[in-house]
């Protein structure tokens, strides 16, 4: 697997992430696309929306978990924490999405709040965060 990273460039990119996550496309939505150059296929994407002075919301979609061993998270977190100079990345996850909650925790996000019925009636919303000072994916 050889990974190339680029910004979201096309409607095809947006369609790919929209099938896997629920980002909001606004004028300041940004994203990082991981492409396996051997097969010219998207294997992961991070989309950032709801920017504030010190935080951003992230939507992650990963089709090939091996991308985690090829710098995907380092690329994403370096971009937000260092290039964009933000201190907090947040993610909201439906409480019934056990797979996403597990990988979110593995990445290093911490649960900070649960909003009852936040996604739908009977499905809570789990609010998580990772702070720059606690991010294990930053180089140096």
């Amino acid at each position: 697997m050889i990974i190339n990273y680029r910004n979201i460039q096309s409607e095809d990119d947006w369609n790919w992430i929209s099938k896997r996550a629920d980002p909001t496309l606004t004028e300041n939505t940004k994203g990082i696309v991981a492409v396996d150059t051997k097969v010219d296929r998207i294997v992961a994407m991070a989309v950032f929306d709801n920017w504030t002075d010190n935080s951003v919301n992230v939507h992650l979609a990963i089709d090939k978990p091996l991308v985690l061993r090829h710098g995907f998270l380092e690329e994403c977190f370096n971009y937000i924490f260092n290039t964009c100079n933000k201190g907090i990345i947040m993610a909201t996850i439906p409480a019934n999405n056990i797979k996403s909650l597990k990988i979110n925790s593995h990445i290093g996000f911490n649960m900070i709040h649960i909003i009852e019925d936040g996604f739908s009636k009977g499905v809570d919303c789990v609010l998580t965060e990772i702070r720059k000072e606690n991010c294990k994916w930053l180089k140096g």
Side-chain angles (χ1 to χ4, degrees), residues 15-113:
N15 289 337
W16 189 93
I17 189 70
S18 294
K19 289 179 185 174
R20 294 160 175 81
D22 191 26
T24 302
L25 180 58
T26 65
E27 63 186 38
N28 66 1
T29 298
K30 295 175 175 48
I32 296 174
V33 182
V35 178
D36 183 341
T37 58
K38 283 189 170 184
V39 293
D40 193 30
R41 184 171 296 134
I42 296 172
V43 292
M45 195 179 300
V47 171
F48 309 103
D49 60 17
N50 297 316
W51 296 81
T52 70
D53 285 342
N54 192 44
S55 70
V56 68
N57 195 53
V58 66
H59 305 270
L60 294 171
I62 300 168
D63 277 3
K64 300 284 184 186
L66 194 56
V67 74
L68 299 177
R69 295 181 184 224
H70 290 267
F72 177 64
L73 295 174
E74 290 90 336
E75 189 81 18
C76 295
F77 291 127
N78 181 63
Y79 174 71
I80 294 300
F81 290 134
N82 294 326
T83 304
C84 297
N85 198 30
K86 301 301 176 194
I88 304 167
I89 301 173
M90 296 181 288
T92 55
I93 303 169
N96 62 353
N97 190 337
I98 304 304
K99 186 176 179 181
S100 288
L101 288 169
K102 184 176 178 179
I103 194 156
N104 185 274
S105 176
H106 171 74
I107 289 170
F109 282 85
N110 295 304
M111 182 183 70
I112 57 171
H113 192 69

